[in-house]
Amino acid sequence: MKSIQEENPSTEKLLSLDFNFQPELTEKLDNFNLDFNQELINEIVLWKINRYVKLSSITLDLINKIDEKSNAVNPGLTGEILLNLLQTKGIRLPMASTILRFKNPNIYQIIDQRVYRMIYGIELKLRTNLNENILQYLEYLTDLRKVCNDFQIPFSESDRILYEYDKQVNLDKIKY
């Protein structure tokens, strides 16, 4: 590993370097001049851990087409939304499902290692093809609904219930 002292670059070389990390958010944070609030702190944290995701207006419009009172998945709309989300840098299926879950928990739940393990008894392996990811999630929702019916737990709370249950019964599997 080299240090700046060992390399001894010129000032001109150092000043010519272009900082290009999360450019839109960096500019927003650099130019923020109001009182700090929790939303700003959240954005700073997301900037630092490089987890800030900027959705396109098309994707946001699609998400807002979800009927918040619906009790049934619209597979066509869901597939279109997921495809747009999964094509967004920084979003994979667990994050996409989290966004959908907060839009309507009656039809969407979060897919993650713990709940997946509770349903299938194996570790979650995300598929690489985006269309296969979409099918995987739709199948997961169907199977999760069956588990909810079998064990009489509310679907809208199932990701949280099964997450907590996995923490109790699979202590040796906890990786995070």
Side-chain angles (χ1 to χ4, degrees):
M1 205 178 285
K2 298 178 181 178
S3 69
I4 193 168
Q5 288 82 7
E6 291 171 326
E7 286 293 301
N8 197 23
S10 70
T11 301
E12 291 154 355
K13 179 175 183 165
L14 291 172
L15 294 176
S16 71
L17 298 173
D18 186 27
F19 184 77
N20 195 26
F21 180 78
Q22 295 276 7
E24 289 180 42
L25 183 57
T26 299
E27 182 177 351
K28 178 181 177 181
L29 295 174
D30 283 348
N31 294 315
F32 191 84
N33 59 5
L34 301 173
D35 288 342
F36 274 36
N37 57 33
Q38 189 59 54
E39 182 179 340
L40 179 66
I41 296 299
N42 293 343
E43 287 185 319
I44 292 169
V45 170
L46 293 172
W47 177 88
K48 177 64 176 161
I49 61 174
N50 197 18
R51 294 287 184 222
Y52 188 78
V53 175
K54 177 94 168 133
L55 296 183
S56 72
S57 60
I58 291 170
T59 304
L60 287 170
D61 289 343
L62 286 169
I63 290 169
N64 288 319
K65 286 183 180 179
I66 296 170
D67 182 352
E68 295 164 5
K69 295 179 179 12
S70 178
N71 288 316
V73 172
N74 176 332
L77 177 61
T78 299
E80 190 175 1
I81 293 167
L82 285 170
L83 187 60
N84 277 271
L85 286 170
L86 295 171
Q87 289 174 333
T88 303
K89 183 181 179 194
I91 294 184
R92 294 185 66 199
L93 190 54
M95 179 59 71
S97 69
T98 302
I99 292 166
L100 293 175
R101 189 244 184 255
F102 282 104
K103 183 65 177 172
N104 184 337
N106 295 315
I107 57 177
Y108 301 112
Q109 289 291 291
I110 299 169
I111 187 172
D112 74 352
Q113 286 289 357
R114 293 184 182 280
V115 179
Y116 193 90
R117 184 171 39 236
M118 285 287 90
I119 294 171
Y120 300 107
I122 59 173
E123 298 295 320
L124 171 63
K125 289 190 171 62
L126 295 174
R127 299 177 185 159
T128 54
N129 177 285
L130 295 184
N131 289 323
E132 289 177 4
N133 256 203
I134 294 166
L135 291 174
Q136 181 179 24
Y137 183 62
L138 292 172
E139 290 168 9
Y140 168 83
L141 291 175
T142 299
D143 295 340
L144 177 57
R145 196 163 292 278
K146 183 180 180 327
V147 167
C148 289
N149 290 336
D150 290 348
F151 291 92
Q152 297 296 296
I153 58 175
F155 183 82
S156 63
E157 299 172 37
S158 61
D159 60 349
R160 296 170 182 187
I161 292 168
L162 295 176
Y163 177 94
E164 288 300 322
Y165 187 62
D166 180 73
K167 285 174 37 178
Q168 289 181 8
V169 300
N170 286 315
L171 289 173
D172 61 326
K173 300 289 184 192
I174 295 175
K175 295 180 185 177
Y176 45 90

